[in-house]
Structures are given as structure tokens and as C-alpha cells.
Amino acid sequence: MTLSMLGSLLGGIGLFILGMRLMTDGFKYAAGHALRDILARSTRTPLRGILSGALITAMVQASAMVTVATIGFVNAGLMSLRQALTLVYGTNIGTTMTGWLVAAVGIDFNIQALALPAIGVGMFLRVFRGERRAGRLGEALAGFGLFFSGLDVLKNAFGALGQSLEFTAIAGSGPLALAAFVGAGFLLTVLLQSSSAALAIILTSAAGGVVEVPNAAAMVIGANVGTTLTALLVVLGATANAKRVAAAHIAFNLITGVVALVLLPVILALLAGGQNLLDVGVGPATQLAMFHTIFNVLGVLLLWPLTGLLVRFLNTRFVRGEKDEAQPQYLDRTLVATPILALQALTRELARLGTMVRGMAREAISSEKVAAHHLEEERATADRLIEAIGEFSNRMQQSNLPPALAEVLPNGLRVSRYHSEMSELAVLIGQAQHRLGDLGHGELAADIGAFKSRVVRLLTDLDRPAAETPDAEAMKELQEAYQSLKSRLLRAGAEGRVPVRRLVEELDNLSNIRRLAEQADKAARYLRSLHAYMEEEKPAAEADGEEKTPVQEP
């Protein structure tokens, strides 16, 4: 192998991976809400889930993107684990489209006639349409062109390599040789972090005569199994739902790989028999594409009847994190790659945090003998969750967010800050309630109790779905009740009915209760703005590039 050949191989691989990245990113940001809605509606039956996973993966050429989206829907409660498994099955079938593209276009077609115009038109759209949907689609189109340019370079490089090497030295047969080629395919996928790139190399090398078809088929099996290590690394420290989906993905690929390896001679013999029967001849790349598709479909047929058993098994695993309230239940770093899903997970986690701190607040306000250490423990739990939310938000900010989402993300940080202040106030209120006890004056004590009950009702109302939360009028009435109560307390102090020290402490406690209610109301309104953004079918900023008007700071 000369330096020129080596440079061509590396350049072809680089172009291919760059094209894949641009295609993935372009489709990911252009699809936005559409991908979410399509996946959410397409898993009503197992067959629809499998077909949808296969079709979407084949279109975007990024199984990782669809898998991450699936994890996001499971985390968000929009999809059950059973539905997610059908998408995982379909995703594995969809990845076989790479092989067919290599076989049908990349080997016997003038690639540059398709690739160069795609790159030119795509970059024109990206430059002149910017972050708008058309610009993102242009980015995907340019990636599509680079994808095929990389294939062209690989085809020529492996063709030249095939003419300059003696291949009998690297050919092999028998179980050990097949195992070695499986390991080579696995390692190639791990190194490139892309099974599609690994498949392109394997198929072009087989078409160039560098590797014989049986050995290349074993490498295809290894590449298919290699994606399991990527999934395993992605979900380290992730949520329980993410680990369950990843475990299903790993189980599918391992079982499918073992079955394909055992049946490798049978499948290849059937393919050869079919060619002879139909009197058609196909190249090595086409044979491998057919082999890849057959064993993935076979894997689906084997595991589909066992889906219920697999779901029940996975639901009994990874449960430790779900019992710790301080551990995020919806946040997963894998979601950052898909901004709309990341925002959805962030919103659900903020809602869970809100339920937690409002429960603290009700406990502190309603009881005069609340255990201070219990509130401190709950506050520590809330603080750990708030820290995790902050870290997740920072990751989102550092990613390439669409302009409209970048505008609305600060509202999530405001919600987190308000909830943090609520937990601090709940501890202060609990301590004051324990210290002050009953005021001892019938009418005034009743008025104080009525005010506290009003705040508790408001906090309870905020636990309802976002559309049913109280409006500004409820908060206005609470403020008027506080001012009226404050005036009566001051009058009682001036008349000597309440000691001055007790008056100051009572007013401080009521002020903290009022502030807590204000923070809860602000948090709920900003959280509603996040819900409203996600419910829009096609946000204005995403459609035409205009900026959205942010919620005004109260």
C-alpha cells in the first residue's frame, strides 16, 4: 500500500463521516417538532412502530438519532417501553439502507454527477437561508453529497488496493477466521463510532476485491454488534429508562449477531441459489447488502414474539435510581443532541421538582410542629436535583440550539431558581412555625390561619396540569389578603395586644409565606411558557427565523 492509497482511504472515510454528520444534524434541526410528532403517532401498533423506525432511520441515515429520540419519548412518558422496543427493531432494519446505497449507487454509478450538485445546492441554501428550516435542509443535502463523494473515493482506493495486493494471504476460512473478521468489523465500528461508515468501508473493500464475500459478511455482523458498545457508553450514568432502551438495543444486536453467524453459510448459500435460479448476477456489495437486511429482518422475527417477556424483564432492572428523588428521572445527556426532546425532558423534570418543593411548602405552612430536620433533608434532595438540572441546561446552551429554543431556554433556568428559593423559604417557614406556635388571639389567629390556607390551596392548584393553573387574579387576591392581614397585625401591636418581638417574627413569617406563593406562581407561569413552546406545531421562529417574544420578568 502506497502513501497515496493510504491518503485516499483516510480521505474517503473522512468525507463519508463528515457527510453523515451533516446529514444527521441537518435533518435533526429541520425536523424539530415533526420528528417528535411522527414518532409519537407511529407506535400505536407493533408493526407500525417497526415500519416507522425503519423508514425514519433509512431517511436520516442516523440510527443513533432515532434511538435518542426514542429514549426521549420514553423519558417524557409519551411512549411505553414496549412501543420503544418496536422502534428499536425498526431502527436496526433501517440501518441496512446504507448497504443498499453503497451497492446501488456507490459502486456502479457516476457518483460525482449526483454528489457535486447536491453539495453546491445544499451549501447555497445553508449560506443564504441560515438557521431557518430551508437552511438546515440544505445542510443535510450537502451532507448527502459528501456522503457519496466519500463513497467514490473509497471505491477508487479499494479498487487500486485490490489490484496491488495478493489476497490469498489475507483470506481465510473456518470458525477462527470468521471470528477474526467479526472482531475486525466490531473494532471498525467502535473506532469510527458509526456502523454506517464501517459498512461503507466493508462493502467497498469487498467490491474492490480486498476481502472475500464470506469474510466481509462476518465483518458486517461484527459492525452490527459494534453499535452495542456505543449504546453502552452513551447510557453510562443515564436514566433508568435510557438504560432499558439501550439494553433492549444491545440484546437485539447480540442475539441477531449470534444467529447470523451460525446461519452465515446457509444464508450465503440461499443467496447464491437465488441468483442461479433467477439467472441474475449481482456484485459483492449487493450480496452483502442483501445479507445485512436478511439477518436483521430475521432478528426482528425472532424477537418480536418475545417483546412482552423482554419488557417485563427490563422493568425489573435499573430501579435503584428511580427510588432516589434527587436523581433526575427524565434528564439524559443523550437527549442534548436533539434539542426539542432535551427541552421536553427538562420541562418534565422541572415539573417534578415543582411538585417536590410545593409539597415541602404545604408541609411547612400547614403544621406548627413540623420536624425541622425532615425539611432540611427534603431541601438537600431538591438542591441536588436543581444542580443536575443546571448542569443539563448548561449542556443544552453549549450545543447548537435553534434560535427559538435558545430564546425560551432561560425560562427553564428561571423556574429552577424560583423552586430553589421556594425550598429555602419552606425551611425558614417550618422553623418559624415550630418556634412561634399558636398566636393565642381568636380572631387574629383565625385570620392568619385563613391566609395560610389560601396559600396552601394555591400551591395545591399549581399541582394541576398547566392549563388549569390559577390566573393572575388569584395572586392579586392573595396579595390583598396579605396586606389586609399585615395591617391588622400592626394595629394589634400598636394596641399592645401582640408583643413587639412576636409581631416582628409573625410578620416575617407571613412575608416569607407570601414570597413563597409569589415564587410558586412565577415558576408555574414560566413553566407554562415552556409547555406552550413545545405544543406549537411549527413555531414561528423555527419556520421563518423571526424571534419569539420572551415572557416578561414579573
Side-chain angles (χ1 to χ4, degrees):
M1 179 187 292
T2 65
L3 288 177
S4 176
M5 289 181 184
L6 179 61
S8 295
L9 286 174
L10 294 176
I13 294 170
L15 283 173
F16 187 90
I17 294 176
L18 177 59
M20 292 287 295
R21 178 64 61 86
L22 290 176
M23 286 173 63
T24 300
D25 289 346
F27 278 123
K28 177 175 64 182
Y29 290 109
H33 293 259
L35 176 63
R36 180 191 68 178
D37 294 339
I38 291 171
L39 287 178
R41 291 195 301 262
S42 62
T43 55
R44 294 175 184 172
T45 66
L47 181 59
R48 288 181 64 177
I50 292 171
L51 293 177
S52 298
L55 179 61
I56 295 171
T57 304
M59 289 176 58
V60 302
Q61 282 296 292
S63 59
M65 172 184 170
V66 181
T67 301
V68 166
T70 302
I71 291 172
F73 290 126
V74 176
N75 279 338
L78 298 176
M79 184 184 296
S80 68
L81 183 59
R82 181 186 291 270
Q83 292 173 310
L85 292 190
T86 63
L87 281 176
V88 169
Y89 298 160
T91 296
N92 281 275
I93 295 176
T95 57
T96 65
M97 180 56 68
T98 299
W100 287 107
L101 288 174
V102 174
V105 180
I107 304 303
D108 302 316
F109 184 77
N110 181 9
I111 301 176
Q112 298 303 328
L114 175 67
L116 294 180
I119 295 172
V121 173
M123 290 312 299
F124 179 86
L125 289 172
R126 186 68 177 90
V127 170
F128 290 99
R129 301 301 293 175
E131 298 294 331
R132 300 176 186 179
R133 178 164 293 181
R136 289 297 188 176
L137 287 174
E139 181 179 328
L141 183 61
F144 192 72
L146 288 174
F147 173 92
F148 286 115
S149 293
L151 283 181
D152 191 37
V153 175
L154 287 175
K155 178 189 71 172
N156 294 330
F158 279 116
L161 189 61
Q163 296 172 5
S164 64
L165 290 179
E166 181 64 43
F167 302 108
T168 56
I170 61 173
S173 60
L176 291 179
L178 287 179
F181 280 102
V182 169
F186 180 90
L187 183 62
L188 192 59
T189 299
V190 171
L191 291 176
L192 297 178
Q193 288 293 292
S194 170
S195 62
S196 295
L199 286 171
I201 293 173
I202 295 168
L203 269 64
T204 50
S205 66
V210 177
V211 182
E212 295 181 353
V213 170
N215 295 332
M219 292 182 71
V220 169
I221 295 173
N224 214 60
V225 176
T227 60
T228 61
L229 183 60
T230 302
L232 183 62
L233 294 175
V234 164
V235 299
L236 288 177
T239 63
N241 284 326
K243 291 177 181 177
R244 289 177 183 128
V245 176
H249 174 67
I250 292 170
F252 177 91
N253 283 44
L254 288 177
I255 294 173
T256 302
V258 171
V259 172
L261 189 59
V262 171
L263 297 179
L264 175 59
V266 177
I267 297 175
L268 291 181
L270 289 174
L271 289 176
Q275 292 180 56
N276 293 332
L277 180 63
L278 298 175
D279 194 21
V280 294
V282 295
T286 303
Q287 293 180 49
L288 293 172
M290 294 172 66
F291 171 76
H292 190 205
T293 302
I294 287 171
F295 83 72
N296 273 286
V297 171
L298 181 61
V300 172
L301 295 177
L302 288 174
L303 288 180
W304 190 352
L306 303 177
T307 300
L309 181 63
L310 183 58
V311 168
R312 288 192 294 273
F313 173 77
L314 291 174
N315 280 331
T316 63
R317 298 296 183 267
F318 315 112
V319 296
R320 180 181 300 177
E322 293 180 324
K323 296 179 180 179
D324 185 359
E325 287 193 330
Q327 292 296 319
Q329 299 298 314
Y330 305 106
L331 304 184
D332 193 306
R333 64 176 180 270
T334 60
L335 298 178
V336 175
T338 311
I340 187 63
L341 295 177
L343 181 64
Q344 190 164 18
L346 178 65
T347 301
R348 288 184 64 85
E349 200 67 64
L350 287 169
R352 189 172 80 89
L353 173 62
T355 300
M356 184 187 303
V357 295
R358 285 192 294 271
M360 285 179 59
R362 287 195 297 270
E363 181 181 5
I365 295 171
S366 301
S367 175
E368 294 178 352
K369 294 184 179 180
V370 63
H373 71 276
H374 179 60
L375 286 176
E376 288 286 0
E377 290 174 356
E378 289 187 322
R379 178 187 173 185
T381 298
D383 286 345
R384 286 170 57 195
L385 184 55
I386 290 168
E387 182 179 356
I389 289 173
E391 292 175 356
F392 186 82
S393 299
N394 288 336
R395 289 196 189 99
M396 289 184 64
Q397 289 178 322
Q398 293 167 8
S399 64
N400 188 16
L401 295 177
L405 197 152
E407 286 285 340
V408 78
L409 181 59
N411 289 347
L413 298 177
R414 291 186 178 99
V415 174
S416 180
R417 176 166 59 87
Y418 292 140
H419 286 159
S420 177
E421 293 177 10
M422 287 173 64
S423 69
E424 295 176 6
L425 288 170
V427 172
L428 292 176
I429 292 168
Q431 293 171 346
Q433 294 275 98
H434 183 75
R435 185 175 61 252
L436 292 173
D438 189 7
L439 185 60
H441 292 274
E443 184 178 350
L444 198 52
D447 291 340
I448 292 174
F451 176 75
K452 292 178 181 178
S453 297
R454 181 190 290 267
V455 174
V456 169
R457 284 196 303 273
L458 183 141
L459 295 172
T460 302
D461 288 342
L462 291 177
D463 280 333
R464 298 175 182 173
E468 301 179 17
T469 50
D471 56 20
E473 190 64 28
M475 199 63 214
K476 179 180 178 182
E477 293 175 357
L478 188 143
Q479 293 283 12
E480 292 173 350
Y482 167 75
Q483 294 298 334
S484 175
L485 180 57
K486 179 180 177 181
S487 297
R488 290 197 296 276
L489 271 171
L490 289 172
R491 187 163 53 251
E495 295 172 355
R497 292 186 284 122
V498 178
V500 174
R501 182 175 179 178
R502 174 60 185 266
L503 174 67
V504 172
E505 291 183 338
E506 199 73 54
L507 287 173
D508 285 344
N509 189 43
L510 291 174
S511 178
N512 284 337
I513 294 174
R514 173 186 59 87
R515 285 178 54 207
L516 189 149
E518 290 175 343
Q519 305 297 71
D521 182 72
K522 292 176 183 178
R525 289 195 287 117
Y526 276 111
L527 194 60
R528 286 202 299 275
S529 74
L530 298 180
H531 279 292
Y533 173 83
M534 291 186 298
E535 288 301 319
E536 294 175 356
E537 184 69 20
K538 186 168 70 172
E542 190 174 286
D544 56 25
E546 296 179 0
E547 294 187 356
K548 295 175 71 69
T549 304
V551 177
Q552 295 297 317
E553 177 75 31

